[in-house]
Amino acid sequence: MNRYHLADVYYPIVFKYDHQELMLDSDEQKMIEFHAYGLGWDLLKLKLNWFVDPIEINLKSKKRYKYLLTSDIRPYLEDKLPVVEIRYFSSDTIFTGLDKVKKERFKIYVDRDYSFLDEDYKIDGNIRINPEYIIATGPASIMDTMSHKILLKLSEKNISDAYKETISISKSTNSQIKYNTNKVEVSFNVTKHKRPFTE
């Protein structure tokens, strides 16, 4: 461990940015990979992330936010790691995972298969949903691929009276998408089917 060695090292990076304008498209920790030369003990600590403080890079004043050149990051690393020599980087570019924050209205619907109604009943009038729209916030690249509709399924069965309940909205399958509310109120009236006259 007291000899000099070469090793591939991954080092964590934290980006500082305007959270009103940008957001990460995943929760994954950003790392930069490089080939380092140094004492075995120092390299081992780096490889095991012992006593490692992430590099903080401020992107608030930079026009470019989707990626950085490793040559831009090198001075930060050399300042953090004076005990090792950085020979080369495994890539000349590191992608930040940052994207523009986007907000969209998502319309709420109730599943119209009506399996929640008693077989002798039907909806009288319209199904009322309050609020009718919710606001979803997330990375623009993800939001642009999503349907802007949320379908609710009622858990009640055999409904034969006027209905009014607060329904929970399931979280998005993508953890980066957040809704401004997770509940809506659903209400409607029902009426009995008119049976055809038979002798």
Side-chain angles (χ1 to χ4, degrees):
M1 298 299 268
N2 291 321
R3 295 182 178 181
Y4 282 83
H5 301 273
L6 289 166
D8 289 322
V9 174
Y10 290 87
Y11 202 90
I13 300 177
V14 173
F15 296 109
K16 300 296 183 181
Y17 53 91
D18 184 345
H19 289 258
Q20 299 297 315
E21 296 289 333
L22 301 172
M23 68 184 299
L24 290 168
D25 60 12
S26 79
D27 297 322
E28 182 182 349
Q29 171 72 62
K30 293 300 174 185
M31 310 287 284
I32 185 168
E33 184 184 3
F34 58 93
H35 203 61
Y37 179 71
L39 284 173
W41 179 246
D42 293 326
L43 293 175
L44 179 63
K45 286 192 292 185
L46 286 175
K47 288 184 76 68
L48 297 178
N49 278 328
W50 288 353
F51 314 112
V52 168
D53 291 324
I55 299 170
E56 292 189 359
I57 299 179
N58 189 346
L59 297 177
K60 290 181 180 179
S61 60
K62 297 181 185 298
K63 293 182 179 179
R64 187 178 69 230
Y65 65 87
K66 284 187 176 290
Y67 69 92
L68 289 173
L69 300 178
T70 47
S71 57
D72 296 330
I73 301 172
R74 188 179 191 111
Y76 293 90
L77 268 176
E78 290 176 336
D79 184 57
K80 281 277 190 184
L81 305 173
V83 296
V84 300
E85 178 189 342
I86 300 169
R87 290 289 177 88
Y88 58 85
F89 293 94
S90 57
S91 172
D92 61 0
T93 306
I94 182 167
F95 292 95
T96 64
L98 288 169
D99 200 354
K100 290 282 189 183
V101 173
K102 190 169 189 178
K103 293 185 178 183
E104 294 281 1
R105 291 201 315 167
F106 281 23
K107 187 169 175 60
I108 311 296
Y109 293 89
V110 171
D111 192 337
R112 293 300 185 106
D113 67 0
Y114 298 137
S115 60
F116 48 82
L117 294 175
D118 186 290
E119 63 179 10
D120 290 331
Y121 286 81
K122 64 180 180 178
I123 299 289
D124 184 11
N126 296 320
I127 296 177
R128 297 174 293 279
I129 302 171
N130 185 34
E132 189 176 350
Y133 293 88
I134 64 170
I135 304 299
T137 304
S141 58
I142 296 174
M143 294 285 285
D144 289 343
T145 65
M146 296 180 68
S147 168
H148 292 177
K149 299 177 182 178
I150 295 177
L151 188 66
L152 298 180
K153 287 185 176 290
L154 303 189
S155 58
E156 300 286 334
K157 297 294 180 184
N158 302 317
I159 295 173
S160 58
D161 292 306
Y163 179 87
K164 185 177 183 179
E165 292 291 340
T166 299
I167 307 295
S168 294
I169 299 172
S170 298
K171 291 182 179 179
S172 172
T173 53
N174 190 304
S175 63
Q176 301 304 106
I177 305 299
K178 307 296 183 186
Y179 301 143
N180 69 326
T181 182
N182 61 357
K183 295 181 184 296
V184 295
E185 185 182 85
V186 176
S187 61
F188 53 83
N189 295 320
V190 298
T191 187
K192 241 184 176 183
H193 281 295
K194 290 184 178 180
R195 301 286 184 182
F197 176 77
T198 55
E199 293 184 1

